[in-house]
Amino acid sequence: MSIEEKEDKLAAGEITERSRFSLWMENFWYHYKFQAIVVMAAIFIFAVCFVQCTQRETGDLTVSFAGPYVLEGDEREGVLDVLNAVAPRTEEGGERLSVILSTYPIYNEEELRALYTDPETGICDESGYQTAKGYNADRLKNFGSYLMTGESAVLLVCPYVYEYQNVKEKLARPLSDLYGDNLPAASYDGYAIRLGDTELYRYYPALQVLPADTLLVLTQSYVWGASADESTYKDFEALFRALVDFKIPQ
């Protein structure tokens, strides 16, 4: 067989192999397109979550804030300083547990519209408002999903989020579990504490960047996440009580 004939056969073979592969891909995509898209989406989401997890702050306990305020750098650090100053100790005389803060700026419709309304003319920037409204809805949804992770059992939420996410009925632990019939004076509804009515809020100016009507909540332990661990949940409980029971030094 001549070299030319061999080359012709090889070329034909390559075409046949490419054709078979092409046909297989077409057939696979036709029958399993939906499954393939789902798998690729899952891989992408996993990759994004993995990157976020590796870049996340680390600490013993996570406190979550969801309300109508954006905590800037110094303000965020100030709130964290307060939380860490009163955090329970790992053991008697030991170091205090470290606290990190998860934040979700979320506004009700009136608050959001006010942000885009000129106080002098009363005219609202409808374009900006509608865009912000979409982002606000996304953050509200994301916070709801985050609550289901069980990573945080101490919440600081505005009344709007408290009602919208049905925190009292779905998540909040009754204050009577911790205090019996002697509920704290700052009790909001038997399930939450009004932050502005606590001595902690009055004593620490750094905490006063948060709205006074912010509600402090201890959630039930969850089936997974940090709060599912019995020891960690007890630390969350101790942190909650430290915040509520704080007394201004005499």
Side-chain angles (χ1 to χ4, degrees), residues 34-48:
F34 178 75
Q35 293 92 327
I37 291 174
V38 170
V39 170
M40 288 187 290
I43 292 173
F44 175 77
I45 292 172
F46 174 79
V48 171

Side-chain angles (χ1 to χ4, degrees), residues 164-186:
Y164 185 91
Q165 298 292 357
N166 214 5
V167 173
K168 176 180 176 179
E169 287 75 14
K170 290 184 177 180
L171 296 167
R173 186 173 171 188
L175 295 175
S176 58
D177 283 0
L178 304 175
Y179 297 97
D181 295 330
N182 300 314
L183 298 186

